[in-house]
Amino acid sequence: MARIGVIAALALGGSIAFSLATPARAASLLDYVGQCVPFARAASGIQIFGDAWTWWDRAEGRYARGDEPRVGSVIAFAKQDRLPLGHVAVVSRIVEKRVLMLTHANWSRQNGVRGHAEQNV
């Protein structure tokens, strides 16, 4: 099974506000069409660059990492055959211990097209 890690939306030495908290910001982000990485960066404030699968290692020493999701944190999926670049998504809600709602881009097809942002999936 692929490793999944959580990168906290708290930078070392200061906090970063969760950008989806305001309705206007959420509406703006949900109009986004593109890759998951720029979307996660814009939605979370976490300033990591590179393919999604590299985020876990790139966060070391810059952001808190762990295996317990928090609203506003970024969940990073490792690369695998079906996810050759990995995937990153922002935790938008914790339903229960093993059920999360994610806000992300470029996962599902909408009208046959990938890249759209989705909230609370």
Side-chain angles (χ1 to χ4, degrees):
M1 185 167 155
R3 176 185 53 156
I4 299 173
V6 178
I7 303 167
L10 295 176
L12 296 177
S15 65
I16 296 172
F18 183 49
S19 301
L20 292 176
T22 64
R25 180 71 175 143
S28 159
L29 283 169
L30 294 176
D31 288 336
Y32 175 86
V33 176
Q35 300 296 318
C36 64
V37 167
F39 179 85
R41 196 170 33 248
S44 70
I46 292 176
Q47 294 300 299
I48 296 178
F49 294 80
D51 292 337
W53 71 271
T54 68
W55 275 43
W56 179 258
D57 289 335
R58 291 176 188 251
E60 187 173 15
R62 296 178 58 201
Y63 297 95
R65 301 184 315 171
D67 58 6
E68 188 172 321
R70 291 183 285 176
V71 171
S73 61
V74 170
I75 188 164
F77 294 81
K79 69 178 175 176
Q80 52 186 299
D81 290 343
R82 295 191 68 199
L83 286 174
L85 299 177
H87 186 66
V88 286
V90 179
V91 176
S92 49
R93 197 169 112 217
I94 298 171
V95 177
E96 56 188 59
K97 184 175 175 132
R98 296 185 50 89
V99 179
L100 303 175
M101 301 302 273
L102 302 176
T103 297
H104 58 171
N106 199 30
W107 186 263
S108 304
R109 291 185 190 275
Q110 294 179 15
N111 298 320
V113 178
R114 279 198 172 303
H116 296 278
E118 299 175 281
Q119 185 174 25
N120 293 326
V121 292

